Amino acid sequence: MTAFLEKKWSLAVLIAAAGALMAFVSLTPAPGRGGSLLLAFLFFVAVVEGCIAAAAAGATVNARWVGSVRKELLSVTPLLLVASFLLLLLIPFVDSYPWAGKPGIWLRKDFFIGRNLAFLVLAYVTARRFAAAPADGEGTKSRAAWYLLVFVVSQTLTAFDLVMSLEYPWISALLGGYFFIESIYGGFAVSALLCLLFRGTPPAEHGHGSRSDLSDLSILMFGFSLMWAGLFFAQFLTIWYGNLPEEVGFLARRLSVSPLRELCVAVLFLLFFIPFPALLSTRAKSNPLVVSVAALSILSGILVERYVFLAPVVRFSPVALAIDVVCLLVLFAVVVYKGSREASLEA
Amino acid sequence: MAGPMVFEEKEKFLERLRGLVREGVPGERIRVITPFGVPEVEEILPRGRSKVRFFALVGAASGTVTGFAFTILTSLSWPLIVGGKPIVSLPPFLIIAFALTILFGALSTFAGFLLLSRLPSLRGIRSGEEFGNAFVILVEDGERQ
Amino acid sequence: MGIADRYAKVDRDVLAAMKRPGRVYLAGLAFTATLVVIGGALWAYQVRSGLGVAGYTHPVNWAIYITNFVFWVGIAHSGTLISAVLYLFRARYRTSFNRAAEAMTVFALMVAGLFPLIHLGRSWVFYYLIPYPTQRQLWVNFRSPLIWDVFAVGTYFTVSLVFFYVGMIPDFAAAKQHVAGIRKKIFSVLSLGWKGTEKEWRHYGMLYLFLAAFATPLVASVHSVVSWDFAMSIVPGWHTTIFAPYFVAGAIFSGTAMVITLVVPLRKAMNLHEYITDDHFESIAKILLFTSLIVSYAYIVEFGLASYGENAFEKEAFRYRALGEFRYLTWAMIFCNSLVPLTLFARRLRRNITFLLVVSLLVNVGMWLERFVIIVTSLAHDFDPYVWGTYRPTYVEVGISLGSFGLFFMLYLLFVKNLPVLSISEIKEHL
């Protein structure tokens, strides 16, 4: 198996196989296929773009922790092309959006798919340029900055177009920002997991004043859990307080039905009430068990939250969803594995 | 008591301090005075992490509890429906509790610092003994109380 | 130069700033004090005659006073960012700015706190806002954003004051050795008898870390609470979820610009080029650029989403903002906040201190205009066209605003001559 993975063309083969499988599953005319693919796409794009964004953000501020997992994080770049392919598979699904019957200037099928696709491809191009630059080279910071600009626009468009327009005419101005902060949050969680997997546990006898890459990443996860909670509360409080029917409907549909209400509470726990207290103490920030639990909690929280966003308005097919998610996770694991092999060969 | 050992340079000061500990002088009898915080001193004379952090924790926790208790109890004591919001409306009360958490935490940490460092110290305010920017080691005799 | 001489030089350089004031300083002090007196007199006139003399009438009941309040609270945030947040990130370049930044925070909050009082009109009933057991058994309305402001800004002021003072305790102890007379007595008392024993430094280190950790969430939360003064209403142009992070980024943006505006002349006047270098300014310029991008993002999202959707009121509110009576202010705001800072992408311009000073002044103006535009245009033109109106400031408001600027700069000038303007012990630590 590892011999197969070592081959240069193995990734292309796997991508082709996964792509064919997902195309087959989602294009079959059965209810729930498109919705499942949308959910898998949203989660996947958030995590992939977030990983690269975490590395890019680290590069712009000369953060030290980036060096240890940079190669692995940037190895996910080709998956942005996979994401673009998935977006093309979603074209038939776009017809089920509420505005599809009466398109306007902004919400029309061709422009809708076109701009999202364009920014995904642009994200791939800028990510590739950033990944190709040496870690501490001259132009690396500016390439990282370009990627970050494209990333912000790409995630903002994903939020406003793919998610917010499902509930048209509901508006939340913060949704774009909320999505890209969650994406970077997920990126830091993945970075922490990669650091544990590939760089091992830091030595136990660290004085409490010194740093390690893992503890830096834990501090970032801790800080972002607070930031996430703040952004969540900003949206919730504004909608709750204003109590306007056109806004509150969005919350009501998700808080009044039984499985969704419990899932909403679960999201709060997974994205804040578990990572925040877990990573509070200094010792916990270097503890591999605590950090991996927090990171996995964050990643599952993002997935469950995307589900909660889509659930009242989109139909899912559990089988299709499982197939899509598994295919994408396998691809993710393979590229990261290959990236780490490359890194250890270089070292 | 032997006179204070005064050093202009940090490295020489640290060397002498390590020497004293190696000679077997008990840590409790060594006092140092520095113009800024020197982390190596904590390694040479380990005294455990400062207990100020407990003041912070207790203060912050009491702030949260006070914030919620105060807002909820006062709302229930004169139940007026304002703006169509429930009498006990947690999102706004959370904001008050958050603010009080930080306020009580900060103030109690400051109080803890003053208590544990025995400040303000009248002797320190009136004392004429000034070392400037020097690093000083003072070893107290065993007999002094 | 031996290390002992370098320490002594830090003492000398910082304390040189506190020697007898020159003519330029005294002129500045006199000018700002005059503005304060004029502002105070106009406030007395307003208390006697009512808010109408300040141009407040239906429908625009919140205008320049609230703009000033939000502006000054925003300025304060940047000081805390530099002193507390950069401390947690272990950014070394912070030590040259942090004392000046903390002072800026405390004085900005003092000035900000005046405006709710001025805006009450009947300023003597300010105690209605304080939750105490009243004779009527009535408590304050905790569901109101205005009460959240009381708690948030009050907490922020207290914590910032404590942080500012705590940072100066070792510096008072160091400074008292070089001054004489009444100043020596005052510094001795303020230093609380600090000697610099390892016990004191150990507890101090943990205190400083916790204060920085407590102050950091305040940077985000206080201005979010201030933004919710507007976002909790249903007024078009105000009721939007993005206000909290948008205002926080705007606060850091305007505050960073004010830091540059204050520190560039300070460095020149007190010869502190060795401590506050061009590298420091470049780092601050990057923060300015970054927050400008966030503010521009918010403008694009807000204007974009106004035309999206079926909310005619929102569409009209933003059309009025861009093309209505106050359009020149809106365009000036976009120019100063979004376009001018883009020039800071060029490294050469980031390191040109005069250019930075000009940019910072434009940003200060632009951010003041932004708050004004948000508040006044939304109030002038909300749901029902029959109640649309306009707003014209009067000399009373303008005079009080100028008085508030005068108060801030006067307090800052007094600080510069009487308290250590750089953080002495931290600079020595990093030598």
Side-chain angles (χ1 to χ4, degrees):
Chain A
M1 165 83 127
T2 37
F4 166 68
L5 287 176
E6 295 292 333
K7 303 265 189 301
K8 275 202 193 324
W9 41 261
S10 59
L11 181 61
V13 164
L14 281 173
I15 288 181
L21 178 58
M22 286 192 283
F24 173 67
V25 163
S26 69
L27 291 177
T28 342
R33 301 306 168 98
S36 317
L37 184 61
L38 179 63
L39 176 58
F41 171 80
L42 286 175
F43 176 64
F44 185 61
V45 159
V47 174
V48 166
E49 284 192 345
C51 287
I52 308 174
T60 45
V61 297
N62 290 327
R64 279 182 287 182
W65 60 265
V66 182
S68 56
V69 289
R70 186 176 186 273
K71 267 266 171 281
E72 288 84 350
L73 282 176
L74 292 175
S75 64
V76 304
T77 312
L79 296 179
L80 287 173
L81 284 178
V82 175
S84 315
F85 172 67
L86 293 181
L87 189 60
L88 290 173
L89 289 180
L90 279 170
I91 292 180
F93 178 72
V94 174
D95 292 327
S96 59
Y97 274 71
W99 46 264
K102 34 181 173 62
I105 314 173
W106 179 253
L107 291 175
R108 50 185 313 113
K109 189 163 168 179
D110 45 9
F111 189 24
F112 183 87
I113 294 286
R115 59 177 178 257
N116 280 286
L117 191 62
F119 274 94
L120 263 179
V121 171
L122 200 54
Y124 170 70
V125 167
T126 45
R128 190 124 178 262
R129 288 194 68 226
F130 168 56
D136 44 10
E138 267 290 311
T140 311
K141 275 197 198 175
S142 79
R143 291 187 191 194
W146 277 114
Y147 170 76
L148 285 171
L149 281 171
V150 173
F151 159 74
V152 163
V153 177
S154 171
Q155 280 292 306
T156 305
L157 282 178
T158 308
F160 289 143
D161 285 343
L162 292 171
V163 177
M164 197 172 85
S165 68
L166 275 174
E167 287 267 4
Y168 186 84
W170 178 74
I171 296 181
S172 167
L174 187 50
L175 203 69
Y178 185 66
F179 266 50
F180 77 70
I181 292 292
E182 257 188 358
S183 178
I184 303 187
Y185 188 24
F188 287 132
V190 173
S191 307
L193 286 173
L194 293 177
C195 194
L196 277 172
L197 274 172
F198 297 117
R199 300 287 164 268
T201 319
E205 285 311 308
H206 256 227
H208 65 82
S210 64
R211 65 163 287 278
S212 67
D213 290 337
L214 189 66
S215 67
D216 274 355
L217 282 167
S218 303
I219 293 174
L220 282 168
M221 280 200 289
F222 177 74
F224 266 77
S225 76
L226 265 175
M227 182 181 245
W228 177 87
L231 290 181
F232 169 83
F233 187 67
Q235 290 191 102
F236 178 76
L237 183 72
T238 312
I239 297 177
W240 176 86
Y241 204 100
N243 214 7
L244 296 172
E246 60 264 26
E247 287 188 348
V248 166
F250 175 82
L251 281 185
R253 277 188 284 280
R254 285 155 183 79
L255 289 176
S256 54
V257 185
S258 187
L260 286 180
R261 183 167 51 213
E262 281 75 34
L263 284 178
C264 287
V265 176
V267 165
L268 274 176
F269 271 84
L270 289 171
L271 283 169
F272 180 69
F273 286 113
I274 294 180
F276 179 77
L279 295 172
L280 196 52
S281 77
T282 322
R283 253 191 323 228
K285 290 189 174 85
S286 317
N287 180 327
L289 181 63
V290 172
V291 173
S292 37
V293 163
L296 287 170
S297 159
I298 291 167
L299 291 170
S300 20
I302 297 179
L303 179 60
V304 174
E305 187 184 42
R306 298 295 145 102
Y307 174 77
V308 167
F309 271 123
L310 298 180
V313 280
V314 157
R315 265 189 308 184
F316 296 101
S317 142
V319 168
L321 183 60
I323 295 180
D324 291 330
V325 171
V326 166
C327 281
L328 295 173
L329 280 177
V330 164
L331 282 183
F332 190 85
V334 166
V335 287
V336 166
Y337 172 75
K338 287 178 78 89
S340 81
R341 300 292 298 149
E342 241 182 71
S344 54
L345 282 174
E346 269 180 22
Chain B
M1 167 173 133
M5 291 172 260
V6 178
F7 301 87
E8 297 283 322
E9 282 172 42
K10 191 171 82 168
E11 289 312 315
K12 294 210 171 64
F13 154 76
L14 288 172
E15 233 177 86
R16 184 76 185 96
L17 195 61
R18 289 191 189 102
L20 279 176
V21 171
R22 265 200 306 269
E23 283 165 28
V25 180
E28 307 81 56
R29 280 174 39 199
I30 304 181
R31 260 182 58 201
V32 302
I33 294 178
T34 50
F36 49 81
V38 182
E40 290 87 341
V41 170
E42 278 180 47
E43 289 168 28
I44 303 172
L45 297 172
R47 300 228 208 274
R49 292 179 69 198
S50 162
K51 295 206 173 29
V52 165
R53 65 191 194 281
F54 295 122
F55 284 84
L57 189 62
V58 166
S62 67
T64 318
V65 168
T66 309
F68 278 118
F70 187 48
T71 47
I72 294 177
L73 292 174
T74 54
S75 300
L76 288 173
S77 118
W78 188 272
L80 210 58
I81 300 180
V82 181
K85 308 283 178 288
I87 304 291
V88 174
S89 30
L90 288 177
F93 295 174
L94 178 63
I95 300 175
I96 308 277
F98 182 81
L100 286 185
T101 304
I102 307 227
L103 181 65
F104 287 17
L107 289 177
S108 101
T109 314
F110 185 48
F113 160 75
L114 291 176
L115 213 66
L116 291 173
S117 313
R118 314 270 186 271
L119 290 175
S121 117
L122 281 172
R123 199 152 51 113
I125 295 177
R126 282 195 298 223
S127 132
E129 183 185 69
E130 290 170 0
F131 291 108
N133 291 319
F135 301 82
V136 181
I137 305 179
L138 293 156
V139 181
E140 287 164 13
D141 286 339
E143 298 91 62
R144 288 197 62 196
Q145 289 308 315
Chain C
M1 189 189 267
I3 191 79
D5 294 320
R6 289 171 70 191
Y7 291 154
K9 183 171 191 301
V10 174
D11 286 332
R12 270 201 315 273
D13 287 340
V14 176
L15 293 165
M18 294 200 272
K19 64 184 193 309
R20 294 202 76 80
R23 269 181 304 190
V24 175
Y25 175 86
L26 287 172
L29 194 60
F31 176 63
T32 51
T34 315
L35 287 178
V36 172
V37 167
I38 294 178
L42 287 169
W43 184 8
Y45 171 56
Q46 184 191 281
V47 164
R48 194 172 171 283
S49 315
L51 276 174
V53 301
Y56 285 87
T57 181
H58 176 81
V60 181
N61 286 304
W62 280 9
I64 289 188
Y65 292 149
I66 299 292
T67 306
N68 283 330
F69 170 68
V70 179
F71 178 73
W72 287 114
V73 175
I75 301 266
H77 278 70
S78 182
T80 313
L81 179 89
I82 291 175
S83 57
V85 177
L86 290 184
Y87 178 77
L88 292 179
F89 283 138
R90 306 187 203 99
R92 290 274 286 263
Y93 61 87
R94 151 194 178 273
T95 52
S96 317
F97 288 103
N98 71 323
R99 183 60 43 73
E102 286 159 24
M104 184 182 82
T105 297
V106 171
F107 300 143
L109 285 173
M110 283 177 174
V111 175
L114 282 179
F115 279 101
L117 291 179
I118 298 175
H119 203 16
L120 278 177
R122 296 184 301 155
S123 306
W124 57 92
V125 293
F126 72 93
Y127 61 88
Y128 284 2
L129 285 170
I130 302 172
Y132 69 97
T134 71
Q135 170 252 341
R136 288 174 290 166
Q137 298 177 2
L138 199 60
W139 294 87
V140 296
N141 176 17
F142 288 112
R143 290 170 221 86
S144 161
L146 303 179
I147 294 294
W148 306 343
D149 262 352
V150 169
F151 278 79
V153 177
T155 300
Y156 190 35
F157 178 64
T158 312
V159 173
S160 301
L161 193 60
V162 169
F163 196 40
F164 181 48
Y165 174 62
V166 162
M168 288 198 289
I169 293 176
D171 291 351
F172 282 134
K176 80 176 184 208
Q177 302 173 23
H178 299 274
V179 296
I182 184 83
R183 243 189 204 178
K184 188 179 176 96
K185 285 203 180 66
I186 295 179
F187 281 0
S188 303
V189 169
L190 286 174
S191 73
L192 301 179
W194 173 269
K195 294 187 87 69
T197 63
E198 69 84 31
K199 178 161 87 158
E200 286 170 359
W201 279 116
R202 197 162 44 93
H203 294 308
Y204 183 82
M206 183 153 283
L207 169 67
Y208 203 82
L209 179 66
F210 270 100
L211 283 177
F214 280 126
T216 302
L218 285 180
V219 172
S221 64
V222 171
H223 222 68
S224 300
V225 169
V226 169
S227 79
W228 289 332
D229 281 343
F230 310 114
M232 294 299 112
S233 72
I234 56 173
V235 174
W238 280 12
H239 184 76
T240 167
T241 46
I242 204 173
F243 258 24
Y246 165 37
F247 267 53
V248 172
I252 299 173
F253 184 45
S254 69
T256 309
M258 185 59 91
V259 166
I260 296 177
T261 308
L262 286 173
V263 175
V264 167
L266 179 81
R267 175 174 93 148
K268 190 137 199 267
M270 307 202 147
N271 247 318
L272 296 171
H273 296 264
E274 206 175 306
Y275 303 100
I276 306 177
T277 64
D278 286 359
D279 286 337
H280 291 130
F281 278 116
E282 192 183 347
S283 309
I284 299 285
K286 286 188 198 167
I287 297 179
L288 200 67
L289 175 60
F290 177 60
T291 45
S292 158
L293 290 174
I294 300 179
V295 169
S296 307
Y297 173 86
Y299 290 161
I300 296 173
V301 165
E302 278 206 305
F303 276 94
L305 285 179
S307 5
Y308 171 108
E310 298 170 349
N311 189 337
F313 304 112
E314 199 78 19
K315 280 196 187 40
E316 171 57 25
F318 279 88
R319 187 208 64 81
Y320 179 69
R321 231 181 243 192
L323 301 172
E325 194 184 357
F326 295 100
R327 62 187 175 279
Y328 298 119
L329 297 180
T330 310
W331 299 345
M333 158 188 118
I334 296 180
F335 174 71
C336 293
N337 297 340
S338 298
L339 299 177
V340 166
L342 287 177
T343 54
L344 296 177
F345 268 116
R347 189 170 183 272
R348 213 167 31 99
L349 290 173
R350 283 201 295 270
R351 296 186 74 87
N352 181 333
I353 305 300
T354 323
F355 182 73
L356 267 188
L357 185 62
V358 169
V359 169
S360 75
L361 289 168
L362 285 175
V363 167
N364 278 325
V365 168
M367 283 310 292
W368 193 94
L369 284 178
E370 181 199 280
R371 274 58 169 264
F372 182 84
V373 161
I374 291 176
I375 295 173
V376 172
T377 59
S378 283
L379 285 178
H381 224 72
D382 66 12
F383 292 102
D384 185 354
Y386 185 66
V387 298
W388 285 354
T390 186
Y391 167 74
R392 289 280 171 270
T394 66
Y395 69 95
V396 172
E397 268 188 307
V398 171
I400 291 181
S401 305
L402 288 176
S404 78
F405 276 86
L407 179 63
F408 176 74
F409 287 109
M410 183 183 84
L411 287 171
Y412 210 81
L413 285 172
L414 289 172
F415 154 72
V416 151
K417 272 289 172 219
N418 291 302
L419 296 177
V421 84
L422 290 176
S423 130
I424 302 177
S425 56
E426 285 182 344
I427 291 183
K428 286 180 193 164
E429 194 176 340
H430 291 129
L431 267 184

